[in-house]
Amino acid sequence: MLRIALLLLLVTSANVLAEETKAVDIYSQEQLLELIRSKQYLTRVKADDCQLVQDIEARAEVLKQPLYQYLWGEMLNFGICVKANPPRGISLLRDAAEQGSAEAMVRIAEYYKDGKFVLQDKERSVQYLLPAAANGDLPARMMLVELFAKGYGSPRDYVLGYHWLYNQVFSDEQTQQDAKRLLQLLAAKMPASQVEKAKKEHLQSR
């Protein structure tokens, strides 16, 4: 009877321990992309009790998956579950950007725009945004037009920036209104003929 009671106690304890240390599955590419776009990626890593640190590091450093380079880089930038190491974090974001990650391009552009971790350089911010905007990334297009409207970047690219954002399809009213406001600011820096050209659905080459 004592043996049975001990076994029952061990099973119960194991079940409780299993509940307390419930394994967390690694994020799919789709999940991670949504976490990045909603800016919940670091909150999620902390909420998962830092259980995925080794998996995230391996996917970033060994497999060199761009979205995981982004996540691991940001964890290093802000010291989430690991010791902070912004030089390595920014390097990983650059690696992801070089592989074509629009999310990484926009994040680096934000850092150069705000002067966080790097010296403020809004012209360099524009250079990171241009390829992401050209590939249809809405946050990149919004930030690019904002910087153009403030006089950064080349006026030769204003038509492109205006054209991309003007012909964007929006999922919510607030973003649409923000885009309209930014376009009005940029239009004030452009000749009327260029604005009309930029509004066309198909932009003819210069």
Side-chain angles (χ1 to χ4, degrees):
M1 180 67 76
L2 180 61
R3 178 182 174 82
I4 293 173
L6 286 171
L7 285 173
L8 286 172
L9 180 61
L10 285 172
V11 170
T12 302
S13 299
N15 287 336
V16 170
L17 185 62
E19 283 297 317
E20 290 178 350
T21 60
K22 192 172 183 179
V24 178
D25 292 330
I26 193 67
Y27 317 124
S28 68
Q29 293 289 315
E30 293 76 14
Q31 285 177 314
L32 184 50
L33 184 59
E34 179 55 35
L35 288 170
I36 289 171
R37 287 177 174 170
S38 63
K39 299 187 182 301
Q40 294 296 311
Y41 50 97
L42 295 180
T43 302
R44 178 63 179 271
V45 170
K46 288 190 289 186
D48 289 335
D49 296 324
C50 302
Q51 292 184 52
L52 299 176
V53 171
Q54 290 183 336
D55 286 327
I56 293 168
E57 181 181 10
R59 281 165 172 74
E61 301 282 7
V62 181
L63 300 179
K64 300 188 184 303
Q65 297 176 356
L67 290 180
Y68 276 96
Q69 288 177 321
Y70 182 112
L71 177 58
W72 181 236
E74 286 285 86
M75 288 168 66
L76 290 168
N77 284 337
F78 292 97
I80 302 300
C81 301
V82 292
K83 184 178 179 180
N85 185 356
R88 182 60 187 147
I90 295 297
S91 178
L92 282 161
L93 284 175
R94 288 192 176 115
D95 288 345
E98 287 175 4
Q99 290 197 65
S101 168
E103 293 74 27
M105 294 175 198
V106 170
R107 192 60 174 144
I108 297 174
E110 288 175 338
Y111 286 145
Y112 276 110
K113 175 174 171 282
D114 299 333
K116 187 173 182 64
F117 300 124
V118 294
L119 292 178
Q120 189 176 57
D121 187 341
K122 294 184 181 180
E123 295 293 345
R124 186 173 294 185
S125 182
V126 167
Q127 295 309 308
Y128 271 103
L129 291 169
L130 277 167
N135 286 327
D137 188 80
L138 177 56
R141 290 179 172 183
M142 296 280 282
M143 199 189 311
L144 185 65
V145 169
E146 178 186 357
L147 287 170
F148 281 167
K150 292 179 179 178
Y152 298 100
S154 171
R156 292 177 300 176
D157 293 324
Y158 288 0
V159 171
L160 267 178
Y162 193 106
H163 172 77
W164 288 332
L165 191 55
Y166 184 84
N167 288 284
Q168 181 75 42
V169 176
F170 301 94
S171 299
D172 65 273
E173 181 69 22
Q174 184 58 57
T175 305
Q176 185 175 352
Q177 291 302 315
D178 290 342
K180 183 178 179 181
R181 176 181 56 81
L182 291 172
L183 288 170
Q184 289 173 341
L185 293 173
L186 180 54
K189 290 185 172 294
M190 299 167 61
S193 59
Q194 285 191 349
V195 173
E196 288 307 310
K197 177 182 178 182
K199 286 181 177 180
K200 293 180 179 178
E201 187 173 0
H202 301 290
L203 189 64
Q204 296 178 349
S205 59
R206 292 172 295 190

